[in-house]
Amino acid sequence: MPAPTRRTLLALGALTGLQLLCGCTDDHPAAPKPTAADPDRPLRLRQLAATDALLADYDAVLAAAPADADRLGNLREDVARHREALAGPLPSPSAAGSAASGSASAAGSASPAAGPAARTAAELAAAEQRTAALRLADLAAASPELARTLASIAASDAAHAAALGDTTAPAPAPSPSASASASAGALPAADTAALQAALAAEHAAVYGYGVVGAFLPTGPQREDARSGYSAHQARRDVWQRLLAAGGASPTAAAPGYRLPFAVKDPATAAQLAAHLETQLTAAYADLAATTALREQAAAALREAALRAAHWGADLPALPGLAAAS
């Protein structure tokens, strides 16, 4: 099955540099052009401070439990990658500075994610969950690109918490059918296009999970596949209703889908499930950049990332953004 089509809002083009002739001399160098202020700067500083605190927690737990260096070290590398992505256009000293300087810049605004210093893996998992909540709290105020990044990092934080043993179910997201239907008629064209892409990805997931379930024996794995199948059917139906309410014709399912590899046993069935969920993270990262459906897209991205990890996928530091990183 080919990967579901991923709609992107960025157009590729050639950038042509123009040299302007002027009568400037060495005594009067051209003044540098002012750069536009980054509207996301306060959010970036707030998120960097929270990320620095999380890195400090990892360092403390690693120092106390060196035997866990391999497992925790990989997760910490992801958090360091999150920091790079969040720094974005900030000046180099702020982006690459020490944890202390980053925290000092936004200490007051980062307080919602603060907690007692982590000493164990369980406390580290709780710190990951608190940080994930802070990412989501800033979604509405962020630019589309930063919102996309925050949704991806929040999904990674949730997957880290699960890997550290946190089995707490995440707080349910507001129902898209209840929160977005009222504004469905006013969805911008870009939002509609991203929602159509997510719907297409859900059609492919529903088909794929039918194959997955057919190759799994009765037992926990098959129940997991049945649960995934039902969840994707439900989300597919919600997106169809939203699009129809907004006057758009929902993308139809294809008559069939070509699988990315042959599925012939439980092992390859689990690989297919991991592949399907990983593909969905890309569609929902794009949807998280929309103006009307960010919260719902972030919840769907988190669920896809958690399912992908459950099925054995090796998640990147930025789920859904790997191809663009």
Side-chain angles (χ1 to χ4, degrees), residues 15 20 30-31 34-35 48 50 67 77 96 102-103 115 135 186 199 214 223 256 269 288 295-296 323:
L15 179 63
L20 300 180
T35 56
L48 285 172
E77 287 179 9
S103 297
R135 314 299 192 198
L199 174 57
E223 289 306 310
E295 193 171 357
Q296 294 80 15

Side-chain angles (χ1 to χ4, degrees), residues 174-183 242 292-293 295-296:
S175 169
S177 57
S179 62
S181 58
S183 62
L242 285 179
L293 296 166
E295 193 171 357
Q296 294 80 15

Side-chain angles (χ1 to χ4, degrees), residues 209 221-233 307:
Y209 264 97
Q221 269 199 324
R222 190 165 190 177
E223 289 306 310
D224 287 345
R226 190 189 306 276
S227 175
Y229 180 80
S230 298
H232 290 301
Q233 280 186 316
R307 284 199 189 96

Side-chain angles (χ1 to χ4, degrees), residues 99-128:
S101 64
S103 297
S105 300
S109 60
S111 57
R119 294 167 298 177
T120 65
E123 291 172 347
L124 193 54
E128 285 274 16

Side-chain angles (χ1 to χ4, degrees), residues 8-300:
T8 177
L9 305 181
L10 301 178
L12 298 179
L15 179 63
T16 303
L18 298 179
Q19 270 195 324
L20 300 180
L21 299 178
C22 67
C24 299
T25 68
D26 292 340
D27 294 333
H28 301 283
K33 293 182 179 179
T35 56
D38 176 15
D40 287 324
R41 180 180 172 83
L43 298 185
R44 289 186 187 278
L45 290 176
R46 169 183 167 92
Q47 293 294 334
L48 285 172
T51 307
D52 287 336
L54 186 56
L55 286 169
D57 282 337
Y58 268 95
D59 290 341
V61 176
L62 280 164
D68 286 339
D70 286 344
R71 178 174 67 123
L72 297 183
N74 290 335
L75 301 182
R76 190 194 185 282
E77 287 179 9
D78 284 353
V79 179
R81 180 69 184 88
H82 297 166
R83 192 182 200 287
E84 294 175 7
L86 290 167
L90 290 179
S92 181
S94 294
S98 67
S101 64
S103 297
S105 300
S109 60
S111 57
R119 294 167 298 177
T120 65
E123 291 172 347
L124 193 54
E128 285 274 16
Q129 292 285 29
R130 287 194 302 272
T131 309
L134 181 65
R135 314 299 192 198
L136 299 177
D138 280 343
L139 274 180
S143 67
E145 193 55 36
L146 181 57
R148 190 168 176 260
T149 300
L150 289 174
S152 175
I153 294 176
S156 181
D157 290 335
H160 288 179
L164 290 165
D166 189 339
T167 58
T168 304
S175 169
S177 57
S179 62
S181 58
S183 62
L187 282 178
D191 290 20
T192 299
L195 186 55
Q196 293 279 27
L199 174 57
E202 288 291 2
H203 282 315
V206 169
Y207 177 91
Y209 264 97
V211 177
V212 170
F215 283 89
L216 294 175
T218 301
Q221 269 199 324
R222 190 165 190 177
E223 289 306 310
D224 287 345
R226 190 189 306 276
S227 175
Y229 180 80
S230 298
H232 290 301
Q233 280 186 316
R235 201 172 290 280
R236 173 204 64 190
D237 294 346
V238 166
W239 297 153
Q240 287 177 324
R241 288 195 296 271
L242 285 179
L243 286 163
S249 178
T251 297
Y257 294 86
R258 181 177 299 173
L259 300 180
F261 47 79
V263 178
K264 53 188 177 182
D265 53 31
T268 50
Q271 290 171 14
L272 178 58
H275 174 84
L276 294 169
E277 298 293 354
T278 301
Q279 294 297 313
L280 281 163
T281 64
Y284 285 123
D286 284 345
L287 191 61
T290 65
T291 56
L293 296 166
R294 287 183 180 179
E295 193 171 357
Q296 294 80 15

